[in-house]
Each structure stands twice: as C-alpha cells, then as structure tokens.
Amino acid sequence: METGFFSYERTTVAIVKDRKFEIFEEAYEDRIFWNNQTGLFTIRGLRRTDSGVYTVDSKKGTVFTGAHKLTVYEPVAAPEVKALIVSKDNCTLICSVEKAEETTLLWYKDGKILKQSSLALSLPLTVQDFNASYSCVAANPAENKTLDINVADFCSLPKEENLRQNNLIAIPIVLVVTVVLAMFIGWIFIKNKKRNETQGSRDSEVVYTDIRTNEDRRNQARNTPDSSGLSDRSNLATIYDKLQAHCIAETDDHVYDQTISCATYLF
C-alpha cells in the first residue's frame, strides 16, 4: 500500500504515508517494521501484552482492510520426570513443568499418545512394559519440548532394595530347609533311642540258672579210663575239650554267682 494505517485494538500504532513509515506508539519503537516491497508488517521481541487484534487499513494504492489476531505464548518450560513408586513389576513416573499456563502435558509410548492433560502441572504414568520407549512432552500452540525416558534409569531398584527383596525370598527357603533338617535329625534321634531301648530290654531278659550235676554222671566219670593209658582209642571221639561248670555258693544272707574250677578234661 502507499498510504494507510496499522492499528492495535482500534489504536493507531503506525502509519504509511507516501510510502514512508512512521511509528506513533513508543511501546513499538524498534520492534515493528514495514516492508515497502511486499507491504508486510513485522513485530519483533514479542511480549504477552502484544496479544490482540491488529488491523491494516489501506487508503491509497491497493485499498483494503485486514484484521489479524495475534496470541503470544510464554516459552514452554522443559518437562521433568521423577519416579514416585518403584517395584519389581511396575513403576510410577510423574512428568511435571514449573509453568503450566496454556501448556499441555503428554505421555508417549513408542511414538503414540498414552495420556495427556492441559489442566495440571504434573501428569503421572504407571509403566509396566520396561522394554518400550517412553517420552514426556510439554507443548503449547507455539512450541513443544520433549524429554525421552530411559525406563531402566528411572525404574531400577536401589541395591539395598534388591538385597532386601532377595532376603525376603531367601529367608523362607532357609527356614524351610532348617525345619526339614531339624525333623530329619529328630527322626534319627528317636529311631536310635528306640533301638537302644529294644536292645536293653533284650539284655535284661537273660536268665541265669543253677547247674546241677547228675550223680550218675559223676559215677560214670569215675569209671572213665585214665587218659594217660595206652588203650586203643581209635573209635572214640572228643565230645568236650574242656568242661567248666558254674557252682553256686550259698551263705546265710545272700546267694553269689561264683565261677569255681570244676573242669573235667578229656584227651
């Protein structure tokens, strides 16, 4: 255009007259520019207060009126991720930003949106697939910032926790083994005790009796030929090499079992 007005919310900010550009509002000094070749206006160094409706009204040359709405957003804060709950089977992560004005938080899994919210400063997510790729995104209509998550870094158990869980598994095993071993030892002890009791009862059943010599056998022994003789003994067989009898000696008060040499030798 050759002559016209550049306005913000019905307030004239600058004018173009005979292809010369002049700024009226001090707030736009050195921030607004006009290209005399294309006729385009450019605002730099945008501020939140620059949001609003701008109007270009051409009065000479190509005559036209155009309105444009400008919305200025704060830069998106970088998202942060922390682990809230970590266990062997799952992990709860939370994505948050310091400034959430007109900012949407999103959780991605393998490039697909899992969860999103534009009303909160934080967004939790429970992870069960530790092998997948996750990312947290903070976005507004102007830009977005992404934080890729390595689940192994966020959801790994501390060494102390790993040791505690291993102990929780090992302790019952040790207790079971101890109980089984104690039962086995007790069974062996009882078995040996019963065997000793049985053997003792058998020993206590031994009964000693008196040995009485038949009078006829004494007479028979007197008639036995002297072994020192030269008689023919080819038809004799040795019945006993040594015969020893236990004799009972009696007293007035007690009876004692004594071994008395009452041996008869046959040769």
Side-chain angles (χ1 to χ4, degrees), residues 8 27 50 63 72 80 84-85 95 103 109 121 124 142 180 191 198 200 202 213 220 232 244 250 258:
Y8 169 70
D50 291 337
V63 179
V72 180
E80 297 181 354
L84 292 182
I85 303 174
C95 177
T103 299
K109 176 185 177 182
L121 290 170
V180 172
K191 184 177 180 181
T198 303
R202 290 177 180 176
T213 306
Q220 184 180 359
D232 185 8
Q244 188 175 29
E250 296 186 4
Q258 298 179 348

Side-chain angles (χ1 to χ4, degrees), residues 211 213 240-247 259-265:
I211 298 178
T213 306
Y240 298 101
D241 285 336
K242 181 177 181 181
L243 178 61
Q244 188 175 29
H246 293 272
C247 300
T259 301
I260 304 174
S261 298
C262 300
T264 301
Y265 296 89

